[in-house]
Amino acid sequence: MKIEKENNKFMIEDALPPQQFKALFDMFFVNDFPWFFGEVVRPEDVDPKYKDYNFHFSHTFHNFSQVATHIEKWNTIKYAVMDFLNPLSFIRIKSNLLLRTSTPIVHGYHVDTICPSCLTAIIYLNNNDGFTLFEDGTRVQSKANRMVIFPSFLKHSGSTCTNTNRRVVLNINYIPFANDRFAEVLNKEKI
């Protein structure tokens, strides 16, 4: 594992141990995983030139104080990320699947939650040319088992990919303990 801090974001390579990452990967890349169709961002946040592409597939695992999926799927998620993130509380955990497009589509800047003490962790599940783009210009490429952690109040946007049939990420919004190693990025004065 390699952790770097850049522009109030932590970039982590090989974030999860191989066995935990494989359990996540295997769960998402089976043919019978339940994906649900919906909007990527709110209509008012979508880039107007991509309004016809504001759709993706997602699966919610946890929403505020309750598990929102089958217990076996929740246990896979919990086992994979709990030790690494050690959250005080989860706000929301969901996976996103974006289909291949002929050119990259960047949907629009948004925040996942307005909770001021919340962090967002994105785990990339497969290698592809898609990315997460931040308003400050930082671009994080999708690479299997890469993770980026940042304050949830930072505007960001995901993209589609062009070199494989799908881009899959796991998006975790959580409240860290005050002494958590990643909590320092919540200090707005340093941003």
Side-chain angles (χ1 to χ4, degrees):
M1 175 188 327
K2 178 181 171 188
I3 301 176
E4 291 183 3
K5 184 178 173 208
E6 178 184 320
N7 297 335
N8 64 328
K9 298 164 207 68
F10 284 96
M11 313 288 187
I12 302 115
E13 300 295 330
D14 301 316
L16 302 177
Q19 183 179 358
Q20 291 163 309
F21 182 76
K22 182 177 180 340
L24 280 181
F25 182 90
D26 289 349
M27 181 174 68
F28 290 116
F29 287 86
V30 295
N31 290 333
D32 64 348
F33 185 81
W35 292 103
F36 302 92
F37 184 82
E39 292 179 330
V40 179
V41 295
R42 300 176 312 165
E44 58 268 25
D45 292 334
V46 72
D47 184 325
K49 67 184 171 208
Y50 297 129
K51 67 180 177 57
D52 293 338
Y53 298 95
N54 188 28
F55 63 87
H56 70 165
F57 296 89
S58 66
H59 185 102
T60 301
F61 294 91
H62 191 277
N63 203 13
F64 293 97
S65 63
Q66 62 188 22
V67 174
T69 191
H70 189 275
I71 195 67
E72 287 179 19
K73 289 178 179 35
W74 169 243
N75 285 337
T76 300
I77 296 292
K78 190 171 68 171
Y79 171 72
V81 302
M82 188 67 81
D83 287 343
F84 186 79
L85 295 178
N86 187 30
L88 175 63
S89 176
F90 287 119
I91 301 298
R92 184 181 70 181
I93 301 175
K94 76 180 201 117
S95 55
N96 298 322
L97 181 151
L98 291 158
L99 299 174
R100 177 199 322 224
T101 52
S102 58
T103 59
I105 307 257
V106 179
H107 291 97
Y109 290 112
H110 65 281
V111 296
D112 293 338
T113 181
I114 57 171
C115 177
S117 60
C118 189
L119 291 174
T120 296
I122 298 174
I123 302 172
Y124 302 95
L125 276 294
N126 64 324
N127 294 319
N128 59 75
D129 63 356
F131 52 87
T132 302
L133 183 65
F134 292 87
E135 263 190 330
D136 68 3
T138 302
R139 180 185 294 229
V140 180
Q141 292 298 135
S142 292
K143 180 182 174 196
N145 205 10
R146 174 179 283 164
M147 182 185 295
V148 60
I149 298 176
F150 56 93
S152 296
F153 55 77
L154 288 183
K155 287 190 173 187
H156 62 283
S157 180
S159 79
T160 60
C161 63
T162 66
N163 66 343
T164 189
N165 63 359
R166 59 191 158 179
R167 175 177 182 249
V168 181
V169 303
L170 182 63
N171 184 295
I172 303 164
N173 304 122
Y174 72 101
I175 298 174
F177 284 95
N179 62 349
D180 180 89
R181 61 186 165 173
F182 302 119
E184 71 179 75
V185 297
L186 290 170
N187 184 346
K188 288 187 178 183
E189 284 77 45
K190 292 184 178 181
I191 295 175

